[in-house]
Amino acid sequence: MSIFDNIKRNLEKVSDYLSLTNAEKELLLSHKRITKATLNINGKVYEAWRIIHNDALGPAKGGIRFHPNVCEDEVKSLSFWMSLKTSLAGLPYGGAKGGVKINPKELSEEELEKVSRAYIRAFHEFIGEDKDIPAPDVYTNPKIMGWMLDEFEKIKGRHEPGMITGKPLELGGCVLRGDATSKGGKIILDLFLEEEGKSPEKTNVVIQGFGNAGMNIAKMLHDAGYNVIAVSDSKGGIVDKTGLDIEKVIKTKKETGSVTQYPKAEKISNKELLELETDVLILAALENQITKENAENVKAEVILELANGPVTSEADDILHERGIVVIPDILANAGGVIVSYCEWCQNKTGHIFSKDYMEKILEEKLTQAFRKTYDLYKEQKRFSMRNAAYAIAIRRILDAEKARGNLD
Ligand code: NAD
């Protein structure tokens, strides 16, 4: 099953509740613009995409991924999730995504800069602060956003910092952006556990993925008293059921490139990590990690999707039946795009917001999105939290399409 097939399947699950017409389904499953280019760098050719799913609510928004497995199906799926995420968070944005099929680990810094600039030369016509606004995603970072902004402004001959978010601070970036996704994930997890009457001190956590999202949330949860017992990266995982010293694990990751080099814990495979007994399993790597093949073996009580699409639609059904709650990506990882929204507002207005003000916006928007989702999830007995989040997000997009006269 392709990733986008999972989306189609998930849409069917809320179709009756929303009384979706064929025209509405067709619109939701189509993309407003699919652009593809080949980037020629030092005699090598790389495929690249920028895809807008929907922009009825405002300019499209979504990150750019550099990864060897990037393909059109993945970028289409990620752009769909961005439309739902921005809608659920109540932001004035649509959804988009970009990607380059490349392994950045094999590139020199100079080559990486060439790829970043070539990407903007290929897609600059379709990007802009009121059209489509990129940001970092897997294996892209503020430095890359800085090169991209520079290339864009050179082509256009004017400043337009709001064309991209997640930039370095010196170029109009936002103080909160670096760890906003993790901060948001923690806010959502805290809210959920409070509803379920569980305290951080009594909560064991396992985290798959130790990059921007996974490493930052590991630190935040550890500092808040949660017991982080296992973490992993692409090379494998480590476990210590009495709790890992996260500061030291981070130091090991930074010095050696992998958590697996941390000497004071047992080494495990990523497969084993996903099947550990724990209260909370946080998925912070890539999509399709829990599938119908391993969903029966998951022993976590709650899964927090910090990554996009880590649980397939079929796995969702198995987990739901087994009473395992999945807090869906479009809610759990919305912190990044909410802070990107603050960055964009600053760039467009010239105002500089205080850190406190932006933290308040982050907390308010996530709390509102959580409340709406949780209440519908509790009200509709057969709904998973994903069904509830999808229903709310889709309704807002369709209302905007109707207000534009694009749907009856
Ligand atoms: P990143 O590149 O900083 O980190 C990815 C991490 O995943 C790395 O530690 C890598 O080693 C690990 N990894 C890769 N394959 C793995 C595997 N098979 N098993 C275990 N670990 C593996 O990326 P990130 O920004 O942290 O993004 C992670 C996920 O979160 C992605 O799905 C991304 O779309 C999503 N996300 C990120 C943000 C953000 O602001 N960073 C926002 C929303 C969603």
Side-chain angles (χ1 to χ4, degrees):
M1 213 188 230
S2 77
I3 309 176
F4 204 69
D5 285 339
N6 274 286
I7 285 177
K8 289 183 189 156
R9 201 172 175 276
N10 279 344
L11 196 65
E12 279 309 318
K13 294 181 192 173
V14 294
S15 177
D16 283 352
Y17 172 79
L18 290 170
S19 311
L20 292 181
T21 64
N22 284 340
E24 287 169 340
K25 278 192 215 174
E26 216 172 293
L27 186 141
L28 290 165
L29 292 174
S30 59
H31 289 73
K32 177 159 179 183
R33 176 179 285 124
I34 298 179
T35 36
K36 184 177 178 200
T38 44
L39 311 182
N40 196 327
I41 312 292
N42 297 346
K44 283 196 201 134
V45 169
Y46 303 103
E47 290 177 285
W49 290 265
R50 186 71 195 170
I51 297 182
I52 295 182
H53 170 252
N54 186 282
D55 63 355
L57 287 164
K61 185 89 192 78
I64 299 171
R65 178 174 293 197
F66 287 179
H67 195 278
N69 296 341
V70 165
C71 62
E72 191 160 310
D73 177 69
E74 183 185 64
V75 186
K76 276 169 69 181
S77 305
L78 288 162
S79 71
F80 174 93
W81 289 320
M82 281 308 298
S83 293
L84 266 57
K85 194 183 305 180
T86 53
S87 172
L88 182 66
L91 298 175
Y93 288 144
K97 205 79 183 189
V100 183
K101 188 174 171 55
I102 198 166
N103 187 353
K105 290 181 183 170
E106 290 171 357
L107 299 186
S108 65
E109 174 129 326
E110 196 188 322
E111 285 168 319
L112 203 57
E113 179 173 350
K114 281 188 181 167
V115 174
S116 308
R117 291 185 183 276
Y119 186 90
I120 291 300
R121 284 198 299 280
F123 297 111
H124 70 89
E125 278 174 74
F126 312 108
I127 289 173
E129 64 177 12
D130 293 317
K131 280 186 186 173
D132 175 9
I133 309 143
D137 191 66
V138 174
Y139 297 148
T140 54
N141 54 33
K143 195 171 208 176
I144 291 174
M145 300 303 110
W147 292 327
M148 288 184 165
L149 173 68
D150 185 66
E151 191 67 23
F152 185 84
E153 291 185 340
K154 278 189 176 127
I155 294 169
K156 303 293 173 191
R158 61 164 193 272
H159 285 290
E160 193 181 315
M163 60 74 55
I164 204 160
T165 60
K167 301 176 286 289
L169 279 180
E170 298 80 356
L171 299 178
C174 170
V175 273
L176 283 193
R177 183 61 181 87
D179 58 7
T181 301
S182 310
K183 211 171 252 167
K186 178 176 177 295
I187 290 172
I188 295 292
L189 183 63
D190 286 345
L191 286 166
F192 179 82
L193 293 180
E194 200 181 307
E195 284 291 340
E196 305 284 312
K198 275 199 135 193
S199 68
E201 292 72 25
K202 296 210 172 98
T203 305
N204 283 351
V205 180
V206 168
I207 305 175
Q208 184 203 34
F210 211 65
N212 182 322
M215 185 195 294
N216 283 316
I217 201 164
K219 186 171 181 324
M220 287 171 196
L221 294 179
H222 178 72
D223 292 349
Y226 286 84
N227 195 27
V228 182
I229 59 167
V231 298
S232 70
D233 58 31
S234 58
K235 301 206 173 76
I238 49 170
V239 60
D240 177 349
K241 291 199 174 139
T242 62
L244 292 164
D245 183 334
I246 291 299
E247 289 292 353
K248 291 200 175 131
V249 177
I250 291 175
K251 196 161 170 273
T252 306
K253 170 81 180 170
K254 285 187 176 157
E255 282 171 6
T256 69
S258 176
V259 296
T260 55
Q261 298 305 308
Y262 181 68
K264 291 191 190 130
E266 188 190 329
K267 288 190 188 25
I268 48 169
S269 67
N270 259 302
K271 180 180 178 298
E272 288 165 330
L273 177 125
L274 296 175
E275 299 174 6
L276 284 173
E277 215 157 283
T278 179
D279 300 298
V280 178
L281 170 62
I282 299 183
L283 301 171
L286 293 166
E287 48 286 329
N288 285 359
Q289 297 303 302
I290 309 290
T291 64
K292 65 178 188 315
E293 271 72 43
N294 61 357
E296 286 291 357
N297 305 335
V298 171
K299 293 176 201 74
E301 287 175 21
V302 179
I303 295 178
L304 184 82
E305 290 187 321
L306 220 47
N308 288 303
V311 176
T312 67
S313 179
E314 288 166 327
D316 242 356
D317 295 344
I318 298 169
L319 296 170
H320 187 58
E321 212 142 275
R322 294 183 55 218
I324 298 171
V325 181
V326 179
I327 308 177
D329 46 8
I330 61 166
L331 176 65
N333 70 27
V337 73
I338 293 171
V339 169
S340 273
Y341 164 69
C342 294
E343 181 176 334
W344 177 77
C345 289
Q346 292 192 109
N347 298 151
K348 273 179 76 83
T349 60
H351 284 300
I352 308 289
F353 302 145
S354 71
K355 201 167 168 240
D356 286 354
Y357 176 68
M358 290 187 285
E359 270 173 353
K360 199 165 150 255
I361 291 184
L362 177 65
E363 180 120 29
E364 268 175 19
K365 293 230 169 279
L366 282 173
T367 306
Q368 280 164 8
F370 175 81
R371 273 268 66 86
K372 283 190 281 188
T373 305
Y374 192 80
D375 290 350
L376 184 60
Y377 157 66
K378 285 286 160 185
E379 177 199 303
Q380 293 290 317
K381 293 282 174 256
R382 66 196 168 84
F383 262 17
S384 64
M385 268 184 93
R386 191 185 319 278
N387 297 154
Y390 267 49
I392 295 160
I394 287 170
R395 183 167 277 157
R396 184 165 173 247
I397 294 170
L398 294 179
D399 285 349
E401 291 286 11
K402 282 178 193 159
R404 286 175 181 275
N406 295 338
L407 282 172
D408 295 334

